[in-house]
C-alpha cells in the first residue's frame, strides 16, 4: 500500500498553492492536495489529470493525512498569520511523531520561531520556507529559502531542489526559461538550507524589503524621466528595455519595460496613466524596516520605500495639498540622453546601497538569533526564480565568494569601483530631483547612506554634546579609549569635565 501513498501533501489551493502543486507533480512526485472549499480542489484535480507525479485530491484532512508517506511532509500555503495557525491546529492532532509541516507562506519569522518550538514540543517538525517568484515562479521554478530542523529538511530537500528555479553554475543566468509544462533540469537550484527555526522566513522577509527598495527606485527613475524630461510612458518603457540588456538586467526592469509600453484596453491610453497612484502593501517591507530599527541597523532605503507607499496612499490629502503648496517650475534645457544615462547610474548605485543594507541587516540578525547565514549562498539562490532576480546578484555572489566575511558590500572592489565611476551622475540626479521638486527618497537616502558610511567623522559629536547637556547622557572622547564616559556639569559656561 505504501507505494501508492503520496510523497508530499499540500494544503491551500489558491493561486500559489495550485501552481506549486503542479510544479511538484511535474517533477514526478505524487502529491496529495486539500482545500477548505472542496469544490476548488475537485476542479483543480479534474483540470490536471495527466501530471507525471499525479495529484491526489482529498476531501477531508483525515483522508489527506492518511494518503501521505511517512514521515509525512505537509506544505501549507495559506494567507500568512491566523489562517496558518488555524490549519496547523487542525492538522496537528492527525499527525504522528516525526512528521514535518512546511509553511511556504510569507510568515513573520518570529511566528515561525514560535510554531517550530510549539510543534517540537509535540514531537513534530516544522520548516518555514520562503517561496519567491509569484505565480509563474511557483509553477515553473521559484527561489526557495527553507529554515528549520536540518534533519527534517533532508526529507524535503529532493523535492525542493527539483522544483526550484535553476541557474547556470558559472554565469548565474537563469536556465531554460519558463516553458509551460516543461520543468527546467540541470544547473544550480535556487534553493539552499538557510538555518534553524525562523531563518528561512527572515531571509525571505529581507528579500521582500529589498524588493520594495528595487520597485521604488525604478518608480523614481520613471518619475524623473517623466517629470524632468517630459517623456511618455512608452518612451520610458523603451529606455527600461535597453537598460535590461546591461548591468541593470533583472526581472523587475524587464516587467517595468513591458508595463510602461502596455496600452489600457479601455481607453487606449498608456496603461500606467490610467492606474491610480496609491500603492498597496502586505507588510513584509514594514517588518524589514521595523526590524532594522529594532536592531539598530541603518537600512534607510527600504524604509523610504515603505514610507513612499504610505505617502502614496493619502491620495485625497495630496490632491488637496497640490492646490496649496508650491514648488519649483524649472524647464530642462540640458542634454536629454546624458540625463537618462545619469538616471541609469543613480539607479544602479542606489541599488548597490540598498542591497548593502539588506545584507548588513542579515548579518546583525544572525548574531541576534544565533544563526550562521551563508551570504554567498543567499545571493546565489536569489539569482533565479525570485522577484529580485538580477544579473547583479552574480556580482554579489562573487563578492562573498572572494570574501565570505565582507563587512559591507560597498567595500567589495567591483562595487567600490562601480560607484566611483558612477557617483558623479548619481549626485547630479539627486540634485536635479531637488531642483525640479521631484521626490526621489530612495535615490537620496541611498546617497546619504553612502556618504555617511564613508565618513570618518559624522556630526554625532555635537549630538552627544546635546544629549550630555540636557540629560547628562555622557559622551566618549576622541583622545581617550572607547568605553570611557565623561560628563560636563552643564549649564555652567566652562566647567571641567567629570570622568564617569
Ligand atoms: C515574492 C513576492 C511575494 C509578494 C509580496 C508582495 O517574492 O514572490 O515578494 O511574496 O508579491 O508579498 O508584497 P506586497 O503586497 O507587500 O507588495
Amino acid at each position: 500500500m505504501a507505494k501508492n501513498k503520496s510523497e508530499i501533501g499540500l494544503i491551500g489551493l489558491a493561486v500559489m498553492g495550485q501552481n506549486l502543486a503542479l510544479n511538484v507533480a511535474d517533477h514526478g512526485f505524487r502529491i496529495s492536495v486539500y482545500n477548505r472549499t472542496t469544490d476548488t480542489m475537485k476542479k483543480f484535480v479534474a483540470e490536471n489529470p495527466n501530471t507525471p507525479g499525479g495529484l491526489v485530491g482529498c476531501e477531508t484532512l483525515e483522508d489527506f493525512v492518511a494518503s501521505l508517506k511517512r514521515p509525512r511532509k505537509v506544505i501549507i500555503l495559506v494567507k500568512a498569520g491566523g489562517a496558518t495557525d488555524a490549519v496547523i491546529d487542525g492538522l496537528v492532532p492527525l499527525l504522528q511523531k516525526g512528521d514535518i509541516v512546511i509553511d511556504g507562506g510569507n510568515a513573520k519569522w518570529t511566528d515561525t520561531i514560535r510554531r517550530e518550538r510549539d510543534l517540537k514540543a509535540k514531537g513534530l517538525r516544522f520548516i518555514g520556507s520562503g517561496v519567491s517568484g509569484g505565480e509563474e515562479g511557483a509553477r515553473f521554478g521559484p527561489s526557495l529559502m527553507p529554515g528549520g530542523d536540518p534533519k527534517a529538511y533532508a526529507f524535503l530537500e529532493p523535492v525542493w531542489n527539483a522544483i526550484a528555479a535553476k541557474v547556470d553554475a558559472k554565469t548565474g543566468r537563469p536556465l531554460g526559461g519558463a516553458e509551460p509544462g516543461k520543468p527546467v533540469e540541470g544547473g544550480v537550484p535556487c534553493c539552499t538550507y538557510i538555518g534553524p527555526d525562523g531563518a528561512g522566513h527572515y531571509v525571505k522577509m529581507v528579500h521582500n524589503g529589498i524588493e520594495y527598495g528595487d520597485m521604488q527606485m525604478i518608480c523614481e527613475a520613471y518619475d524623473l524621466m517623466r517629470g524632468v524630461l517630459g517623456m511618455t510612458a512608452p518612451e520610458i518603457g523603451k529606455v527600461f528595455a535597453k537598460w535590461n540588456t546591461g548591468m541593470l538586467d533583472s526581472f523587475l526592469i524587464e516587467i517595468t519595460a513591458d508595463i510602461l509600453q502596455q496600452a489600457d484596453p479601455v481607453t487606449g491610453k498608456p496603461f500606467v496613466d490610467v492606474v491610480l497612484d496609491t500603492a498597496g502593501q502586505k507588510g513584509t517591507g514594514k517588518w524589514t524596516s521595523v526590524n532594522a530599527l529594532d536592531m539598530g541597523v541603518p537600512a534607510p532605503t527600504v524604509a523610504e520605500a515603505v514610507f513612499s507607499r504610505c505617502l502614496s496612499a493619502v491620495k485625497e490629502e495630496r490632491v488637496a495639498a497640490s492646490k496649496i503648496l508650491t514648488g519649483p517650475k524649472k524647464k530642462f534645457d540640458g542634454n536629454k540622453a546624458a540625463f537618462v544615462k545619469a538616471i541609469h547610474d543613480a539607479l544602479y548605485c542606489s541599488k548597490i546601497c540598498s542591497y548593502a543594507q539588506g545584507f548588513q541587516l542579515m548579518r546583525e540578525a544572525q548574531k541576534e538569533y544565533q544563526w550562521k547565514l551563508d551570504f554567498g549562498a543567499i545571493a546565489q539562490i536569489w539569482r533565479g526564480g525570485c522577484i529580485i532576480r538580477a544579473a547583479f546578484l552574480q556580482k554579489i555572489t562573487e563578492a562573498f565568494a572572494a570574501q565570505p566575511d565582507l563587512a559591507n558590500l560597498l567595500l567589495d572592489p567591483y562595487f567600490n569601483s562601480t560607484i566611483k565611476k558612477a557617483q558623479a551622475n548619481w549626485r547630479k540626479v539627486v540634485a536635479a530631483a531637488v531642483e525640479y521638486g521631484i521626490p526621489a527618497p530612495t535615490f537620496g537616502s541611498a546617497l546619504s547612506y553612502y556618504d555617511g558610511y564613508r565618513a570618518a567623522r559624522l556630526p554625532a559629536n555635537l549630538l552627544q554634546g546635546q544629549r550630555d547637556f540636557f540629560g547628562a547622557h555622557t559622551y566618549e572622547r576622541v583622545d581617550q579609549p572607547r568605553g570611557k564616559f565623561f560628563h560636563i556639569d552643564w549649564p555652567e559656561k566652562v566647567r571641567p569635565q567629570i570622568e564617569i
Side-chain angles (χ1 to χ4, degrees), residues 10-13 31-43 45-46 55-67 94:
L10 185 143
I11 298 177
L13 291 172
I31 180 165
S32 295
V33 290
Y34 171 83
N35 194 62
R36 202 172 46 166
T37 313
T38 305
D39 285 351
T40 309
M41 178 279 289
K42 282 187 172 160
K43 188 163 174 276
V45 174
L55 300 170
V56 180
C58 303
E59 294 193 18
T60 66
L61 262 184
E62 286 76 4
D63 287 351
F64 171 80
V65 169
S67 73
L94 306 172

Side-chain angles (χ1 to χ4, degrees), residues 186-303:
V188 184
C190 294
C191 173
T192 192
Y193 172 73
I194 302 285
D197 52 63
H201 273 143
Y202 184 87
V203 168
K204 174 61 172 45
M205 176 195 74
V206 175
H207 163 283
N208 280 26
I210 289 174
E211 171 186 306
Y212 273 52
D214 275 349
M215 292 167 79
Q216 175 61 25
M217 281 171 214
I218 290 173
C219 290
E220 289 172 21
Y222 151 73
D223 208 15
L224 283 158
M225 282 186 255
R226 185 176 61 161
V228 177
L229 303 176
M231 291 167 69
T232 66
E235 282 169 354
I236 302 170
K238 288 196 183 79
V239 171
F240 278 103
K242 190 166 160 239
W243 288 357
N244 198 42
T245 60
M247 56 221 251
L248 282 171
D249 172 359
S250 62
F251 172 71
L252 284 170
I253 295 280
E254 183 189 333
I255 65 164
T256 299
D258 290 349
I259 295 164
L260 288 168
Q261 293 177 84
Q262 171 72 43
D264 170 38
V266 181
T267 60
K269 290 181 186 168
F271 165 74
V272 286
D273 292 352
V274 301
V275 177
L276 192 73
D277 54 327
T278 59
Q281 53 182 313
K282 289 199 238 19
T284 45
K286 184 185 86 177
W287 296 343
T288 312
S289 306
V290 169
N291 179 245
L293 284 169
D294 280 344
M295 290 198 303
V297 176
T301 308
V302 173

Side-chain angles (χ1 to χ4, degrees), residues 314-327 329:
V314 293
K315 170 78 177 175
E316 286 73 23
E317 252 181 86
R318 288 190 289 110
V319 171
S322 72
K323 294 178 184 129
I324 303 165
L325 306 178
T326 60
K329 285 200 169 52

